Amino acid sequence: MRISTAALHNAAILQITDRTAALVKTQNQLASGKRIVTPADDPTGAVQALGLDRALAQSQQYGRNADAAKSRLSFEEQALADTTTLLDRVRVLALQANSGALDSVGRQSIATELQTRLGELVDIANRRDGNGEYLFSGYATSTQPFALSGGGATYSGDQGVRLLQTSDNQKIADGHPGSTVFMDIPQGNGTFVTGVGAANTGSGIIDAGSVTDRSAWVPDTYTISFTSETTYDVLDSSSNVVASGTYAPDGAIAFNGIQVQLSGAPAAGDTFTVTPSGKQDIFTTISNLITTLGRPADTDADNARFVTEIGTALAQLDRTQEHISTVRAEVGGRLSVLDSAADTRADRELDLQTALGSLRDLDYADAIARLNMQLTGLQAAQQSYTKISQLSLFNYI
């Protein structure tokens, strides 16, 4: 069989080209540190690596979401802690104001500090997070949520709660709307609220009351009306008598599964009210306390009303602190969940990176040995071609 000169040259050049391409591929692998530089290097491995890349990127996005949620929740937790501290101070001031030895000047001094505390509370409720967004505006994070108005505050946010995806099957709320935190607080003892009639002339005082049998409670507006200094009727909103009895100072008046305690000396015609609890915001609670401190307490009736309203304010402050504590517990629970999820996510990302490395990363020892062999083979091919290309029959003539 005859081999033409052209075929001989083509075969030699093709061999050099193939060896050069193999050498360049190895050099690229060494330069990048990757075994798979292009999908053609390992199509199956490239597909698997792409899937692992997507899973790793998704996990890292979950991590960024979790960090954002943790940041906002941390800001909220601090705001709630500051609110608790402020409410503790307000309660101390209310107890001081309830002292019989305090005169009108002392009460006014306390009212002045309470007014300052009220402004401070609004500032807390209008706090922003690290990105400049309001913490308690719901979805409307660029809208200031609270502003003082009359005897309370208005809320300009919404009821929305942002949920951030922190894993394949977990979403975490990054805060609470301000209406939930500062506005929707049950009044009184959570079931009913007591009050003193505006026209009372006696020194009767009523406490916040308690529930003795919740199943027997019938929500309605009840009036405890003293028919004399020692007898009373309990009337419902339709003026039906639901209970009556003889009044004994510091004795309990019980009806429909609840009881209230009166003290002092009510006069004939004096009334006290028991109404179902609604919702009251923190700002109104403090504003009402300021209003109470500004009223004169010169007569027995005035003093009785003052003591009753201070007692109502203290009970409402206790209810408010319980509410804030509940919200703080929710925030703490979410932060704990985020910490646990972060540990799980870190373990998963390590597994993904290990699997990705086993597919994509280069074995340097093997690659360097292969590079040396390919370089030697290429040099041999080049030297062989140099010799072969110079062969001719004319050399033997």
Side-chain angles (χ1 to χ4, degrees):
M1 181 179 68
R2 294 181 299 173
I3 300 177
S4 68
T5 301
L8 187 65
H9 281 273
N10 287 338
I13 292 173
L14 181 61
Q15 185 180 41
I16 292 173
T17 302
D18 288 344
R19 291 181 181 275
T20 300
L23 180 64
V24 169
K25 176 181 176 181
T26 303
Q27 288 174 329
N28 288 337
Q29 289 175 332
L30 285 168
S32 65
K34 303 296 182 183
R35 183 179 68 87
I36 304 175
V37 178
T38 66
D41 295 337
D42 183 354
T44 301
V47 171
Q48 292 176 340
L50 185 60
L52 291 172
D53 274 333
R54 283 198 299 266
L56 185 59
Q58 186 179 53
S59 180
Q60 290 169 343
Q61 181 59 56
Y62 289 153
R64 289 189 289 272
N65 291 349
D67 289 341
K70 188 172 183 178
S71 175
R72 275 185 65 86
L73 288 170
S74 296
F75 275 102
E76 181 182 2
E77 204 284 330
Q78 184 58 55
L80 295 175
D82 292 343
T83 299
T84 299
T85 301
L86 185 147
L87 290 174
D88 287 339
R89 178 57 183 168
V90 171
R91 195 177 194 285
V92 168
L93 292 172
L95 289 172
Q96 290 177 357
N98 203 28
S99 171
L102 203 65
D103 59 14
S104 60
V105 175
R107 290 174 181 172
Q108 185 56 50
S109 177
I110 291 175
T112 299
E113 181 176 346
L114 285 173
Q115 190 66 51
T116 301
R117 297 295 180 180
L118 181 58
E120 182 183 346
L121 180 60
V122 173
D123 290 340
I124 293 173
N126 286 331
R127 277 193 188 168
R128 303 171 187 253
D129 64 12
N131 295 321
E133 296 180 331
Y134 288 103
L135 290 171
F136 300 109
S137 288
Y139 290 138
T141 55
S142 60
T143 300
Q144 179 175 302
F146 291 100
L148 286 176
S149 175
T154 56
Y155 178 62
S156 301
D158 58 36
Q159 312 305 313
V161 178
R162 296 191 302 191
L163 296 175
L164 298 181
Q165 189 93 27
T166 56
S167 72
D168 292 338
N169 54 5
Q170 182 185 69
K171 293 182 178 180
I172 294 291
D174 69 351
H176 295 81
S179 55
T180 298
V181 178
F182 299 100
M183 307 291 283
D184 297 337
I185 302 170
Q187 287 180 301
N189 55 32
T191 301
F192 61 89
V193 182
T194 59
V196 178
N200 285 8
T201 58
S203 61
I205 300 169
I206 188 171
D207 71 353
S210 60
V211 178
T212 56
D213 183 359
R214 192 167 298 278
S215 64
W217 165 244
V218 180
D220 197 2
T221 298
Y222 297 96
T223 302
I224 303 172
S225 178
F226 276 78
T227 55
S228 71
E229 294 180 354
T230 58
T231 59
Y232 64 86
D233 290 332
V234 179
L235 310 175
D236 63 16
S237 58
S238 299
S239 298
N240 298 314
V241 177
V242 298
S244 59
T246 300
Y247 169 67
D250 299 324
I253 297 177
F255 62 94
N256 289 358
I258 68 167
Q259 67 175 23
V260 295
Q261 188 168 346
L262 271 70
S263 58
D270 283 358
T271 60
F272 301 86
T273 57
V274 176
T275 57
S277 292
K279 301 291 185 180
Q280 182 167 302
D281 62 83
I282 302 178
F283 312 100
T284 297
T285 298
I286 299 177
S287 293
N288 288 346
L289 184 54
I290 294 171
T291 301
T292 296
L293 291 172
R295 290 200 194 103
D298 301 327
T299 67
D300 288 343
D302 289 341
N303 187 65
R305 184 175 296 106
F306 176 83
V307 173
T308 298
E309 289 180 357
I310 291 292
T312 299
L314 286 169
Q316 190 63 34
L317 286 170
D318 289 342
R319 176 67 57 178
T320 300
Q321 287 179 310
E322 291 174 4
H323 175 77
I324 295 297
S325 294
T326 299
V327 177
R328 286 187 71 183
E330 291 179 4
V331 172
R334 293 175 190 176
L335 288 170
S336 179
V337 168
L338 287 172
D339 288 339
S340 298
D343 293 338
T344 301
R345 189 168 51 253
D347 291 340
R348 183 168 184 264
E349 288 181 7
L350 179 60
D351 291 340
L352 289 171
Q353 289 168 343
T354 301
L356 191 58
S358 65
L359 280 172
R360 183 179 286 167
D361 289 350
L362 181 68
D363 182 341
Y364 276 93
D366 176 71
I368 290 172
R370 188 169 66 255
L371 178 70
N372 289 331
M373 288 190 294
Q374 289 169 341
L375 184 58
T376 301
L378 176 61
Q379 290 172 344
Q382 291 171 336
Q383 291 173 359
S384 297
Y385 177 64
T386 301
K387 297 295 185 181
I388 293 173
S389 65
Q390 294 175 356
L391 294 178
S392 171
L393 290 176
F394 292 102
N395 295 332
Y396 299 97
I397 296 176

Coordinates of all heavy atoms in Angstrom, one line a residue, residues 25-65:
K25 N -6.5 21.8 27.2 CA -7.5 21.4 28.2 C -7.0 21.2 29.6 O -7.6 21.8 30.6 CB -8.3 20.2 27.7 CG -9.3 19.7 28.6 CD -10.0 18.4 28.1 CE -11.0 17.9 29.1 NZ -11.6 16.6 28.6
T26 N -5.9 20.5 29.7 CA -5.3 20.3 31.0 C -4.8 21.6 31.6 O -5.0 21.8 32.8 CB -4.2 19.2 30.9 OG1 -4.7 18.0 30.3 CG2 -3.6 18.9 32.3
Q27 N -4.2 22.4 30.8 CA -3.7 23.7 31.3 C -4.9 24.6 31.8 O -4.8 25.2 32.8 CB -3.0 24.4 30.2 CG -1.6 23.8 29.9 CD -0.9 24.5 28.7 OE1 -1.6 25.0 27.8 NE2 0.4 24.5 28.7
N28 N -6.0 24.6 31.1 CA -7.2 25.3 31.5 C -7.7 24.8 32.8 O -8.2 25.5 33.7 CB -8.3 25.3 30.4 CG -7.9 26.1 29.2 OD1 -7.1 27.1 29.3 ND2 -8.5 25.8 28.1
Q29 N -7.7 23.5 33.0 CA -8.2 22.9 34.2 C -7.3 23.3 35.4 O -7.8 23.6 36.5 CB -8.2 21.3 34.1 CG -9.3 20.8 33.2 CD -9.2 19.3 33.0 OE1 -8.1 18.7 33.1 NE2 -10.3 18.7 32.8
L30 N -6.0 23.3 35.2 CA -5.1 23.7 36.2 C -5.2 25.2 36.5 O -5.2 25.6 37.7 CB -3.6 23.4 35.8 CG -3.2 21.9 35.8 CD1 -1.9 21.7 35.1 CD2 -3.1 21.5 37.3
A31 N -5.5 26.0 35.5 CA -5.6 27.4 35.7 C -6.9 27.8 36.5 O -6.9 28.7 37.4 CB -5.6 28.2 34.4
S32 N -8.0 27.0 36.2 CA -9.3 27.3 36.9 C -9.5 26.5 38.2 O -10.3 26.9 39.0 CB -10.4 27.0 35.9 OG -10.4 25.6 35.6
G33 N -8.7 25.4 38.3 CA -8.9 24.5 39.5 C -10.1 23.7 39.4 O -10.5 23.0 40.3
K34 N -10.7 23.6 38.2 CA -11.9 22.9 38.0 C -11.7 21.7 37.0 O -11.0 21.9 36.0 CB -13.0 23.8 37.4 CG -13.4 25.0 38.3 CD -13.9 24.6 39.6 CE -14.3 25.8 40.4 NZ -14.8 25.4 41.8
R35 N -12.3 20.6 37.3 CA -12.2 19.4 36.4 C -13.1 19.7 35.2 O -12.8 19.3 34.1 CB -12.6 18.2 37.1 CG -12.5 16.9 36.3 CD -12.9 15.7 37.1 NE -14.3 15.7 37.4 CZ -15.2 15.2 36.6 NH1 -14.9 14.7 35.4 NH2 -16.5 15.2 37.0
I36 N -14.3 20.3 35.5 CA -15.3 20.5 34.4 C -15.2 22.0 34.1 O -15.7 22.8 34.8 CB -16.7 20.1 34.8 CG1 -16.7 18.6 35.2 CG2 -17.7 20.4 33.7 CD1 -18.1 18.2 35.7
V37 N -14.5 22.4 33.0 CA -14.4 23.8 32.6 C -15.6 24.1 31.7 O -16.2 25.2 31.7 CB -13.1 24.1 31.9 CG1 -13.0 25.5 31.5 CG2 -11.9 23.7 32.9
T38 N -15.9 23.2 30.7 CA -17.1 23.3 29.8 C -17.9 22.1 30.0 O -17.4 21.0 30.3 CB -16.6 23.5 28.4 OG1 -16.0 22.3 27.9 CG2 -15.6 24.7 28.3
P39 N -19.2 22.1 29.6 CA -20.1 21.0 29.7 C -19.5 19.8 28.9 O -19.8 18.6 29.2 CB -21.4 21.4 29.1 CG -21.4 22.9 29.4 CD -20.0 23.4 29.3
A40 N -18.8 20.1 27.8 CA -18.2 19.0 27.0 C -17.2 18.2 27.8 O -17.0 17.0 27.4 CB -17.6 19.6 25.7
D41 N -16.6 18.7 28.8 CA -15.6 17.9 29.6 C -16.3 16.7 30.3 O -15.6 15.7 30.4 CB -15.0 18.8 30.6 CG -14.2 20.0 30.0 OD1 -13.8 19.8 28.8 OD2 -13.9 21.0 30.7
D42 N -17.5 16.9 30.7 CA -18.3 15.8 31.4 C -19.7 16.2 31.4 O -20.2 16.8 32.3 CB -17.8 15.6 32.8 CG -18.4 14.4 33.5 OD1 -19.4 13.8 32.9 OD2 -18.0 14.1 34.7
P43 N -20.5 15.8 30.3 CA -21.9 16.3 30.2 C -22.7 15.8 31.4 O -23.5 16.7 31.9 CB -22.3 15.6 28.9 CG -21.1 15.4 28.1 CD -20.0 15.1 29.1
T44 N -22.6 14.6 31.8 CA -23.4 14.1 33.0 C -23.0 14.9 34.2 O -23.9 15.3 35.0 CB -23.2 12.6 33.2 OG1 -23.6 11.9 32.0 CG2 -24.1 12.1 34.3
G45 N -21.8 15.0 34.5 CA -21.3 15.7 35.7 C -21.7 17.2 35.7 O -22.0 17.8 36.7
A46 N -21.7 17.8 34.4 CA -22.0 19.2 34.3 C -23.5 19.4 34.7 O -23.8 20.4 35.3 CB -21.8 19.7 32.9
V47 N -24.4 18.5 34.3 CA -25.8 18.6 34.6 C -26.0 18.5 36.1 O -26.7 19.2 36.7 CB -26.6 17.5 33.9 CG1 -28.1 17.5 34.4 CG2 -26.6 17.8 32.4
Q48 N -25.3 17.5 36.7 CA -25.4 17.3 38.2 C -24.9 18.6 38.9 O -25.5 19.0 39.9 CB -24.6 16.1 38.6 CG -25.3 14.8 38.1 CD -24.4 13.6 38.4 OE1 -23.2 13.7 38.7 NE2 -25.0 12.4 38.4
A49 N -23.8 19.1 38.4 CA -23.2 20.3 39.1 C -24.1 21.5 39.0 O -24.2 22.3 39.9 CB -21.8 20.6 38.4
L50 N -24.8 21.6 37.8 CA -25.7 22.7 37.6 C -26.9 22.6 38.6 O -27.3 23.6 39.2 CB -26.3 22.7 36.2 CG -27.2 23.9 35.8 CD1 -26.4 25.2 35.9 CD2 -27.7 23.7 34.4
G51 N -27.4 21.4 38.9 CA -28.4 21.2 39.9 C -28.0 21.6 41.3 O -28.7 22.2 42.0
L52 N -26.8 21.2 41.6 CA -26.2 21.5 42.9 C -26.0 23.0 43.0 O -26.2 23.6 44.1 CB -24.9 20.7 43.1 CG -25.0 19.2 43.3 CD1 -23.6 18.6 43.3 CD2 -25.7 18.9 44.5
D53 N -25.6 23.7 41.9 CA -25.4 25.1 42.0 C -26.7 25.8 42.3 O -26.8 26.8 43.1 CB -24.9 25.6 40.6 CG -23.3 25.5 40.5 OD1 -22.7 25.6 41.6 OD2 -22.8 25.4 39.4
R54 N -27.8 25.4 41.6 CA -29.1 26.0 41.9 C -29.5 25.8 43.3 O -30.0 26.7 44.0 CB -30.1 25.4 40.9 CG -30.1 25.9 39.5 CD -31.4 25.6 38.7 NE -31.6 24.2 38.6 CZ -31.2 23.4 37.6 NH1 -30.6 24.0 36.6 NH2 -31.5 22.1 37.6
A55 N -29.3 24.6 43.8 CA -29.7 24.3 45.2 C -28.9 25.1 46.2 O -29.4 25.7 47.2 CB -29.5 22.8 45.5
L56 N -27.6 25.3 45.9 CA -26.8 26.1 46.8 C -27.2 27.6 46.7 O -27.2 28.3 47.7 CB -25.3 25.9 46.4 CG -24.2 26.6 47.2 CD1 -24.3 26.1 48.7 CD2 -22.8 26.4 46.7
A57 N -27.4 28.1 45.5 CA -27.8 29.5 45.4 C -29.2 29.8 46.1 O -29.4 30.8 46.7 CB -28.0 29.8 43.9
Q58 N -30.1 28.8 46.0 CA -31.4 28.9 46.7 C -31.2 29.0 48.2 O -31.8 29.8 48.9 CB -32.3 27.8 46.3 CG -33.7 27.9 46.8 CD -34.6 26.7 46.4 OE1 -34.2 25.6 46.5 NE2 -35.7 27.1 45.7
S59 N -30.3 28.1 48.7 CA -30.1 28.0 50.1 C -29.4 29.4 50.6 O -29.8 29.9 51.7 CB -29.2 26.9 50.5 OG -28.9 26.8 51.8
Q60 N -28.5 29.9 49.8 CA -27.9 31.2 50.2 C -28.9 32.3 50.1 O -28.8 33.2 51.0 CB -26.7 31.4 49.2 CG -25.6 30.5 49.4 CD -24.5 30.6 48.3 OE1 -24.8 31.1 47.2 NE2 -23.3 30.1 48.6
Q61 N -29.9 32.3 49.2 CA -30.9 33.3 49.2 C -31.8 33.2 50.4 O -32.2 34.2 51.0 CB -31.8 33.1 47.9 CG -32.9 34.2 47.8 CD -32.4 35.6 47.8 OE1 -31.5 35.9 47.0 NE2 -32.8 36.4 48.7
Y62 N -32.1 31.9 50.8 CA -32.8 31.7 52.1 C -32.1 32.3 53.3 O -32.7 32.9 54.2 CB -33.1 30.2 52.3 CG -34.0 29.6 51.4 CD1 -34.0 28.2 51.1 CD2 -35.1 30.3 50.8 CE1 -34.9 27.6 50.3 CE2 -36.0 29.7 50.0 CZ -35.9 28.3 49.7 OH -36.8 27.7 48.9
G63 N -30.8 32.2 53.2 CA -29.9 32.8 54.3 C -30.0 34.3 54.3 O -30.1 34.9 55.4
R64 N -30.0 34.9 53.1 CA -30.1 36.4 53.1 C -31.5 36.8 53.6 O -31.6 37.8 54.3 CB -29.9 36.9 51.7 CG -28.4 36.8 51.2 CD -28.2 37.5 49.9 NE -28.8 36.8 48.8 CZ -28.2 35.8 48.1 NH1 -26.9 35.4 48.4 NH2 -28.8 35.2 47.1
N65 N -32.6 36.0 53.2 CA -33.9 36.3 53.7 C -33.9 36.2 55.2 O -34.5 37.1 55.9 CB -34.9 35.4 53.1 CG -35.1 35.6 51.6 OD1 -34.7 36.6 51.1 ND2 -35.8 34.7 51.0

